[in-house]
Amino acid sequence: MRSYNGTDNSTTEVSWLLIFDNVNNFDILTDFWPQHDNSGSIIVTSREHVVKIKAYHIEEGIDLPPLKKEEASNLLLKLTWHEDIPEEQELSLEAAEILGGLPLAMTQMAGVMNRKSLSSANFLNRYKEEESRQKLFSLSLKPKIRRTTYGHTLATVWALEELKHSSGLLDVMSYLDPGGIYKLYLQDTMGNVQLSDYPKTTTAYQDARSELLDSSLVNRSTDRFHKSSLTIHRLIQDGARAKMSLERAEETFSAAVEILCLQWPAAQTGVRHHIARWQEYEKLSPHILRLKDRFAKAGSGFRSRWITNLSFATILNELGWYERGYTDQAVECYEIARTNVEHIINTIQRQASASQTKTNNINKPLALLAEVHNNLAGAATEFNDGKTALHHFTIYNKMQLDSQGAKSNTSDSRLTSSFFNLGLSYAMTEDYDQAILSFEQAMVEASKLLKPTRINTVAYGCLHGSLRDP
């Protein structure tokens, strides 16, 4: 055996190799570490990052990355005896990507596929079902190549149930974007997160973070904004979510939403175009999109609980506005927000009707629903879809009229702009008579404003410009 530090032409050979595999307690290394014989080599494998520091006599430390996609796919094909099946080639790439290139994960899941006679397509369909994923993580089935003395599953290797300080922190992180979660987001919101085991103090947060780092469940990183963040493997996120009950999933999802809402820079209607907030929006958007995707892919049990979260609908509407440059993505955010807030409003009205009480808590959901319709109409205009724009602008205008009630002598800019936008959408559908009526009403409402807006001038131009030309 040749020394690792020797050159290709070196004649120096080591006489022994000592391996400490999967070390959890580093205090025992001192008892077994050779003190005098320097003619050998030692390999230590562990999930603990501190093993790389000099205090443990280790000169070289390597963080082993996951397998590359093609390598992982080839390993999965070999373990499942699917190397010669053409239709498995492409699907195995997708399966390998979902399993994150982790050899242990692919070995375990290959065993499941073999015992259950699952093709890659069958496995992918089962894995994507959030509610059934826990069973996959808990199975311990023999693959083609397996050490018979190795009785662990993915769930027991990660030892998520044995975490003493960090369960709440890890569970919240399992709903966020794995590529980089700012420590600022996790630490600054400690006292405001309504989750019983989420860290409440700086010391508690540091203990939780250290436990996750020491077990290699998360890693440190620095992003392009030079901000310190934590990263987490997607498969570990899946494992954390898979062990949650419906109640725990609802609490954790709500906590993640709460953290993002607290960090989202609030802006009043009309000043969202200010670019000072855009960098913060850019940092937060991957996490909100991750929550959106989790909601969209969740089973009925999870969705029936998450759909009642008004803050989730609110932040989706906010993100949709920011994502308007990607209109399809913005519309998806708006549509989920619309469906959810309509469900919330219907629930409030149904409960009030059953108990014969007033619906005092309905104003905020109604205001959000009106804004979502306005944003959907705006997105439709970008697609030059006059019919859809007219539909949503009509609903928005009616909701603004309803909210004004009997205040016939007062107005606000939202009602004024709703008539103006309604006129534009009528013009888009070539209903010019209705467009003129809407522009005229926009001018009436604008005259009631304490500070006249540009809408009055633009509406006047539309009325006395091309719309009235013969």
Side-chain angles (χ1 to χ4, degrees):
M1 185 176 296
R2 183 168 295 173
S3 170
Y4 172 79
N5 293 321
T7 64
D8 290 340
N9 297 323
S10 173
T11 58
T12 303
E13 293 184 352
V14 296
S15 57
W16 50 264
L17 173 66
L18 181 61
I19 300 175
F20 297 98
D21 188 24
N22 198 25
V23 178
N24 294 319
N25 181 4
F26 291 97
D27 293 333
I28 67 172
L29 289 181
T30 304
D31 297 332
F32 297 96
W33 202 272
Q35 300 297 319
H36 305 293
D37 189 352
N38 295 322
S39 63
S41 290
I42 302 173
I43 295 176
V44 179
T45 68
S46 175
R47 292 194 299 164
E48 299 255 8
H49 69 284
V50 295
V51 72
K52 294 188 295 183
I53 65 177
K54 302 267 183 178
Y56 292 104
H57 314 288
I58 296 173
E59 299 294 332
E60 300 286 343
I62 301 173
D63 289 318
L64 292 177
L67 296 175
K68 295 179 181 179
K69 190 174 179 179
E70 291 75 15
E71 294 172 336
S73 173
N74 290 335
L75 175 61
L76 192 60
L77 287 170
K78 182 176 181 180
L79 292 173
T80 55
W81 294 292
H82 289 162
E83 298 120 302
D84 299 324
I85 305 176
E87 55 267 28
E88 288 289 312
Q89 305 293 325
E90 185 174 348
L91 289 173
S92 69
L93 286 169
E94 184 179 352
E97 184 175 13
I98 282 180
L99 296 174
L102 297 181
L104 174 62
M106 288 182 293
T107 302
Q108 292 281 334
M109 292 303 105
V112 172
M113 293 169 69
N114 288 339
R115 183 66 63 86
K116 297 291 185 179
S117 299
L118 300 178
S119 66
S120 294
N122 297 145
F123 167 75
L124 289 169
N125 289 334
R126 289 188 63 171
Y127 189 90
K128 290 174 182 178
E129 294 174 354
E130 188 98 15
E131 282 107 330
S132 65
R133 197 174 294 155
Q134 170 64 15
K135 188 174 181 180
L136 287 175
F137 282 122
S138 300
L139 288 172
S140 179
L141 302 173
K142 292 183 179 181
K144 179 182 177 184
I145 303 172
R146 179 178 182 268
R147 291 193 337 228
T148 56
T149 58
Y150 192 78
H152 291 295
T153 67
L154 287 178
T156 59
V157 167
W158 290 329
L160 301 184
E161 302 290 353
E162 299 177 15
L163 295 174
K164 297 179 180 179
H165 310 289
S166 56
S167 292
L169 181 60
L170 176 66
D171 285 356
V172 168
M173 292 179 67
S174 73
Y175 280 99
L176 302 177
D177 181 67
I181 305 168
Y182 288 127
K183 297 178 184 178
L184 181 70
Y185 297 167
L186 301 172
Q187 190 169 5
D188 279 10
T189 53
M190 289 182 302
N192 299 302
V193 176
Q194 303 302 311
L195 187 67
S196 60
D197 55 349
Y198 192 84
K200 299 294 189 295
T201 65
T202 299
T203 299
Y205 169 77
Q206 291 173 349
D207 288 344
R209 184 191 63 186
S210 295
E211 185 174 47
L212 294 178
L213 287 168
D214 289 345
S215 56
S216 294
L217 293 172
V218 303
N219 293 293
R220 291 187 178 93
S221 181
T222 303
D223 73 354
R224 62 189 181 89
F225 299 106
H226 307 291
K227 298 287 187 180
S228 179
S229 63
L230 297 175
T231 62
I232 179 172
H233 199 283
R234 292 193 310 273
L235 201 63
I236 294 174
Q237 288 184 309
D238 291 344
R241 290 195 310 275
K243 67 181 177 60
M244 296 182 195
S245 64
L246 288 175
E247 292 77 13
R248 176 66 175 184
E250 180 181 11
E251 293 172 353
T252 309
F253 183 88
S254 297
V257 170
E258 198 172 3
I259 287 173
L260 297 178
C261 286
L262 289 169
Q263 295 295 326
W264 186 267
Q268 297 297 321
T269 303
V271 296
R272 282 173 167 164
H273 292 284
H274 293 182
I275 64 173
R277 301 177 178 86
W278 286 7
Q279 188 176 96
E280 289 304 316
Y281 293 161
E282 182 181 354
K283 296 174 186 176
L284 286 162
S285 60
H287 302 295
I288 304 173
L289 289 172
R290 189 76 173 178
L291 283 176
K292 175 185 71 70
D293 291 341
R294 292 261 62 83
F295 178 84
K297 296 175 182 177
S300 58
F302 292 111
R303 287 171 67 96
S304 65
R305 293 171 178 267
W306 297 344
I307 197 173
T308 62
N309 192 316
L310 183 63
S311 295
F312 179 50
T314 301
I315 203 166
L316 281 181
N317 179 61
E318 291 285 338
L319 179 65
W321 195 94
Y322 172 72
E323 294 284 334
R324 290 187 311 165
Y326 306 94
T327 309
D328 288 331
Q329 193 158 267
V331 169
E332 188 177 355
C333 290
Y334 293 144
E335 287 292 356
I336 294 176
R338 180 184 63 81
T339 300
N340 289 13
V341 76
E342 285 177 348
H343 174 85
I344 293 170
I345 291 170
N346 290 336
T347 301
I348 294 173
Q349 291 174 334
R350 187 168 57 252
Q351 291 173 346
S353 176
S355 60
Q356 296 183 342
T357 57
K358 292 183 178 180
T359 55
N360 295 325
N361 57 342
I362 203 170
N363 290 336
K364 190 174 181 180
L366 283 173
L368 176 58
L369 181 60
E371 187 177 346
V372 171
H373 278 294
N374 190 44
N375 289 337
L376 280 166
T381 60
E382 299 204 19
F383 280 124
N384 200 28
D385 183 354
K387 184 177 179 180
T388 300
L390 178 61
H391 169 74
H392 290 292
F393 275 138
T394 299
I395 296 174
Y396 178 69
N397 176 254
K398 183 180 184 305
M399 294 185 76
Q400 292 302 320
L401 285 169
D402 290 344
S403 69
Q404 288 290 308
K407 304 181 215 176
S408 58
N409 295 323
T410 61
S411 185
D412 65 29
S413 60
R414 290 173 299 178
L415 181 59
T416 305
S417 65
S418 73
F419 276 112
F420 175 72
N421 288 328
L422 192 59
L424 287 179
S425 59
Y426 275 124
M428 289 176 68
T429 58
E430 300 182 355
D431 189 344
Y432 299 116
D433 290 338
Q434 288 296 324
I436 290 171
L437 291 175
S438 297
F439 287 137
E440 288 176 339
Q441 190 60 42
M443 293 178 65
V444 171
E445 297 300 329
S447 68
K448 301 176 186 178
L449 298 174
L450 295 176
K451 294 182 179 181
T453 65
R454 292 182 300 173
I455 294 176
N456 196 12
T457 303
V458 177
Y460 182 87
C462 291
L463 281 170
H464 297 278
S466 59
L467 289 182
R468 288 200 182 274
D469 290 342

